[in-house]
Amino acid sequence: MCYIADGKSGACDRYANEGGNLVRLDPLVVLERRIEDGGDVVPFLEEDKPWDGNVVKPKDQFVTAIGAGTTYPDYKPAPFIVSSEVDGVDMITVVTEGIFSYCGAKVKIDTDRHLGPERNLVRANGEPIGHVTTGEYGSQMLSLGGVHHLTGGGKKEGRVTCSTLLALCNGEAVTLTIDEGSEIVVQADKAPIINGVVEERMRVGCGSATVGMFASQWKDLVDEVVVVDDHITGVMSEHQAGKVIGWKETGIKIKGRRSTPGRYFQVAGPGTGWGGTNLDDPLVILGDFNAKVAVEGQSLLMVSTTGEHFAYYELDADLKPIQKDIPDRLQNSIERIEENCEPALCSVLFMGGAGGSLRAGVTENPVKLTRSAQAALTTVTCGGTDAYRWPGGGITIMSDVARMPDNSFGYVPTPALVAPIEFTMRREDFEALGGHMEYIIPIEDAVAGGTGLQKDHLLKGQRQVEPHADNAWPVVAK
């Protein structure tokens, strides 16, 4: 239990003691759909302040859990249980900040470059905070945080893990290092910076896919194309895409493990060079050309999956590739690969388990909330942003932090993250699960500064923001 002296704020800077009253210091965030200029309007809530002329109607407002306070230690109802009407349907939204020891971040980094071996530790300020997990199509993946790093290691490990998660989830840039791998700067919705280099493009596809996509565009412009990729290197003359459009054999030989025709694995080691390999010179993956097929002057284009690396060669009299300037006829195809690459970004998804005691802030019978969420009768949002609920037991959710309002997250010295969470459902479903009916207040009262019967702290103010353009409006009658 925290103790805050009169006139002081707590260790987490979330609460203060003002004359014996517990005050939540961050303003309560209310989403409004009709802020035309897109920015915060930041009115301040004061009891003696008259109506400020806001013409936004309650149906276009949503009380988020950001700045609402928490149910912890979970013996009382949530700070806000708000009623509203949507398309003639009475809806209830239960609003609370959750304290998450079981939480972390899944980070997707759009790059072909090798960041480090899977399962290797990811560190912040030298402390282990997560690991590299399985790569996805065109992206490297990190799993950060989790209860074992927050509470299962040393004190410093827990503090650093919590502070790193807090920064990431609030949209700040953090520097991470990977054992036997790279240093990377990660920031939600921004390009990754790998070993000091800003990653610009996400690959257009694997080497095999790139061959297929551009086969017809390369036909009759060059004799052979090799798309270098750490995972699947594609060879045009052997690939099915080349075969069906009549590509002739070239006698090329690729070093690596042959999969299906025109697809090769393990042509080189992983790295930050061509196509996510450790190659600076792509010719090292070539064996000798078959003299019965190849001819002097035969042309060869080698290119990476982002178009960042490319080189053009012609065979000499000894059938050795000699690099030459890339001809104009092939320049457009390189530019087309680059054009089809999406910008490289870092995506940060907060992941937490809400199946614990905070459910008691909604209902006297917590398992009924779990079942309601699993039956899709209850919609779960984080700061008004859609949350994906994992199948199976509990209420384990993931939500894109880039779609949440600024500074949605806080922390407690436990260490644990404080994240906003809202549960929205029809009034009859709320009643059916044993919801705290007597604590419901109309949304008009909530946005006017009112609180329910459960109030045990004061609000410092209110901040009104426009929801992210890609978010569905969180209160939807189902």
Side-chain angles (χ1 to χ4, degrees):
M1 182 64 70
C2 297
Y3 173 80
I4 304 174
D6 190 11
K8 302 291 185 181
S9 59
C12 63
D13 292 327
R14 297 172 61 236
Y15 290 95
N17 181 346
E18 294 184 0
N21 293 314
L22 188 63
V23 178
R24 181 69 175 90
L25 293 175
D26 297 309
L28 176 69
V29 171
V30 175
L31 299 184
E32 291 194 346
R33 286 196 285 190
R34 297 188 180 181
I35 299 175
E36 295 181 355
D37 61 7
D40 293 1
V41 295
V42 199
F44 196 77
L45 183 68
E46 295 175 345
E47 292 183 354
D48 58 351
K49 194 171 183 178
W51 177 58
D52 62 2
N54 193 341
V55 296
V56 177
K57 297 179 180 178
K59 70 181 181 65
D60 294 313
Q61 295 176 308
F62 179 80
V63 178
T64 77
I66 304 166
T70 181
T71 65
Y72 193 80
D74 303 317
Y75 65 91
K76 60 184 185 299
F80 286 96
I81 301 178
V82 179
S83 67
S84 61
E85 183 178 307
V86 180
D87 297 332
V89 179
D90 290 334
M91 304 294 291
I92 300 295
T93 299
V94 183
V95 173
T96 185
E97 290 177 303
I99 299 174
F100 289 85
S101 292
Y102 293 87
C103 74
K106 305 303 179 190
V107 180
K108 171 174 169 285
I109 301 167
D110 300 333
T111 182
D112 267 354
R113 301 181 207 282
H114 179 68
L115 301 181
E118 291 180 3
R119 299 180 295 171
N120 274 27
L121 289 173
V122 178
R123 298 178 185 272
N125 296 322
E127 293 294 321
I129 66 160
H131 64 275
V132 180
T133 187
T134 49
E136 300 298 341
Y137 198 77
S139 305
Q140 309 298 322
M141 305 290 291
L142 307 181
S143 179
L144 306 180
V147 69
H148 294 298
H149 287 294
L150 284 167
T151 68
K155 287 184 178 180
K156 185 179 180 183
E157 178 180 341
R159 288 198 301 269
V160 172
T161 299
C162 186
S163 63
T164 304
L165 290 176
L166 178 65
L168 271 177
C169 289
N170 278 336
E172 300 174 18
V174 301
T175 300
L176 306 173
T177 59
I178 298 171
D179 288 0
E180 303 177 44
S182 303
E183 178 185 276
I184 179 168
V185 178
V186 176
Q187 185 174 12
D189 216 27
K190 303 291 183 184
I193 303 173
I194 302 168
N195 296 330
V197 178
V198 178
E199 184 66 281
E200 295 183 355
R201 293 187 289 271
M202 182 180 185
R203 70 177 178 175
V204 66
C206 68
S208 174
T210 307
V211 163
M213 279 187 281
F214 298 100
S216 60
Q217 298 182 44
W218 278 318
K219 186 74 166 57
D220 299 327
L221 298 181
V222 63
D223 296 315
E224 182 64 278
V225 179
V226 176
V227 182
V228 180
D229 177 17
D230 178 42
H231 304 134
I232 307 172
T233 290
V235 180
M236 184 66 76
S237 64
E238 300 178 3
H239 196 278
Q240 186 66 15
K243 294 293 187 185
V244 297
I245 62 174
W247 210 284
K248 296 180 180 179
E249 294 184 9
T250 61
I252 195 170
K253 180 177 176 55
I254 301 291
K255 299 174 182 175
R257 182 159 68 87
R258 188 170 184 264
S259 174
T260 52
R263 303 168 80 245
Y264 289 85
F265 303 156
Q266 302 166 11
V267 298
T272 57
W274 280 62
T277 70
N278 58 357
L279 296 174
D280 293 322
D281 178 7
L283 291 181
V284 301
I285 71 172
L286 301 186
D288 293 335
F289 278 77
N290 185 343
K292 296 180 180 178
V293 179
V295 296
E296 181 180 359
Q298 184 173 292
S299 58
L300 166 66
L301 173 66
M302 301 188 78
V303 62
S304 67
T305 49
T306 60
E308 177 184 352
H309 298 94
F310 57 87
Y312 174 79
Y313 307 88
E314 292 181 3
L315 301 188
D316 65 8
D318 296 323
L319 303 182
K320 302 296 183 186
I322 305 299
Q323 185 168 359
K324 297 180 178 294
D325 292 337
I326 188 164
D328 291 341
R329 67 178 187 277
L330 292 175
Q331 193 63 50
N332 286 342
S333 65
I334 303 301
E335 294 173 356
R336 182 63 59 86
I337 291 176
E338 295 175 350
E339 180 185 351
N340 277 270
C341 294
E342 296 178 82
L345 294 174
C346 298
S347 303
V348 179
L349 269 63
F350 166 75
M351 183 169 177
S357 55
L358 70 79
R359 295 174 299 171
V362 181
T363 168
E364 294 177 347
N365 194 358
V367 72
K368 287 194 172 182
L369 176 63
T370 303
R371 292 169 182 164
S372 180
Q374 291 171 345
L377 297 176
T378 294
T379 298
V380 184
T381 54
C382 292
T385 300
D386 293 341
Y388 169 75
R389 190 191 64 78
W390 280 72
I395 306 174
T396 303
I397 55 169
M398 289 197 305
S399 195
D400 184 354
V401 303
R403 293 185 173 188
M404 297 184 194
D406 293 341
N407 297 315
S408 291
F409 292 81
Y411 79 102
V412 291
T414 306
L417 275 193
V418 177
I421 188 165
E422 304 97 21
F423 302 97
T424 299
M425 67 209 83
R426 291 172 181 257
R427 177 183 284 266
E428 58 264 35
D429 292 327
F430 182 62
E431 186 172 15
L433 61 80
H436 302 296
M437 301 295 292
E438 66 274 29
Y439 290 85
I440 296 172
I441 63 171
I443 189 170
E444 293 87 346
D445 291 354
V447 296
T451 57
L453 297 175
Q454 69 277 38
K455 66 177 181 181
D456 60 1
H457 63 271
L458 302 177
L459 298 175
K460 192 66 173 178
Q462 187 179 119
R463 183 164 64 101
Q464 296 161 343
V465 302
E466 188 178 30
H468 193 283
D470 294 334
N471 286 348
W473 187 240
V475 183
V476 178
K478 294 185 177 179

